[in-house]
Amino acid sequence: MRLRFNFALGLLLALLVIAAAVGSGWLAPYDPVMDADLMNSEMPPSWEHWLGTDGQGRDVFSRVLFGARVSLTVGLVSQLINSCIGTALGVSAGYFGGWWDDLVNGLTNVMLAIPSLVFALAIMAVLGPGLPSLLIALGLTNWSWTCRIARSSTLSLKSQGFVQAAKTAGFGDTNIMRTQILPNILGPVLVIATLGIGGAVLAEAALSFLGVGIRPPQPSWGNMLTDARELIRTAPWASVFPGLAIFATVLGFNLLGDGLRDMLDPHMRTRRT
């Protein structure tokens, strides 16, 4: 019962974030950049401005909605890149073994030894701030866990009878990895990717907060927190609501990934039965 509740709550929160990101252009009552009114700056939440206004008189609700678009884009695209890199390296290393397996393992250990946020900061320092640079930085720093999961799953699958039968039938190595191994490891890879979306959203917020991610005036939850640092006492809503958006998004995707893991894990299904 608890697992179903966690999965349902995670799915609900994830769908709300997706709806906010997709419908931000229709749902936002104000332009998040152009509709700035210094005469109405630091206004508390009201019927006119549901979440109040920031230090430049911009509507916080509209900026939170458009920030969801940035955060969701970063989370989904960066995890897609991570999943592709990690799956390709992990499956090939587990299948071929030998020197290639040793090389991939060494590279994976190096990536795990370096904090991903520090590595992303170094990449952003070279590429400069902006959404494309952020996608590249986060897409190249978190593939190691996917690689390890894919490799361990491939090692257990390549000795199975259906893989040996495919080899006997004359299937090529690439064809076997694509048609026999990859479909059987998509479950664990999907779980890691779902859990990683929340981490990518949090990393984007941290990088934007530090000033090397999304640069103003384009709204993102991270740079909204940066702008609201000096308003924490006079206009706390300017920082509270972007912080709550980050919290809800990370919580939603983490619960969703945790629920998917329990649903796809045969040991958990047997235990529940």
Side-chain angles (χ1 to χ4, degrees), residues 143-269:
W143 54 263
S144 50
W145 292 109
T146 303
C147 180
R148 286 211 161 177
I149 292 295
R151 176 182 175 273
S152 61
S153 300
T154 302
L155 287 173
S156 64
L157 286 173
K158 72 175 185 178
S159 59
Q160 297 293 322
F162 63 91
V163 175
Q164 299 301 320
K167 289 182 178 180
T168 305
F171 282 58
D173 292 331
T174 303
N175 201 3
I176 291 175
M177 288 187 287
R178 180 175 58 85
T179 62
Q180 306 299 318
I181 294 179
L182 186 59
N184 289 283
I185 67 171
L186 284 181
V189 170
L190 178 62
V191 171
I192 292 295
T194 306
L195 291 171
I197 292 175
V201 170
L202 198 59
E204 179 275 322
L207 291 172
S208 297
F209 181 80
L210 294 173
V212 296
I214 305 298
R215 298 296 295 271
Q218 183 180 6
S220 81
W221 294 336
N223 62 34
M224 288 178 68
L225 291 176
T226 302
D227 295 339
R229 283 183 299 179
E230 300 178 356
L231 308 177
I232 190 65
R233 293 185 178 180
T234 58
W237 51 85
S239 57
V240 168
F241 292 114
L244 287 177
I246 296 172
F247 170 77
T249 302
V250 175
L251 176 65
F253 281 104
N254 283 350
L255 289 177
L256 182 60
D258 192 53
L260 286 175
R261 181 196 63 187
D262 294 335
M263 291 171 59
L264 297 173
D265 188 350
H267 300 290
M268 293 296 296
R269 289 200 300 266

Side-chain angles (χ1 to χ4, degrees), residues 21 62-63 70 79 85 105 110 112 136 172 181 183 186 193 196 217 222 231 237 240 258:
S62 300
R63 290 179 62 79
V70 173
Q79 280 308 116
I85 295 175
N105 266 330
V110 170
L112 289 174
I136 295 173
I181 294 179
L186 284 181
L231 308 177
W237 51 85
V240 168
D258 192 53

Side-chain angles (χ1 to χ4, degrees), residues 43-46 49-54 59-62 64 237-238 241-242:
M43 289 182 59
S46 62
H49 299 282
W50 292 354
L51 303 184
T53 61
D54 62 8
D59 184 63
V60 174
F61 177 67
S62 300
V64 167
W237 51 85
F241 292 114

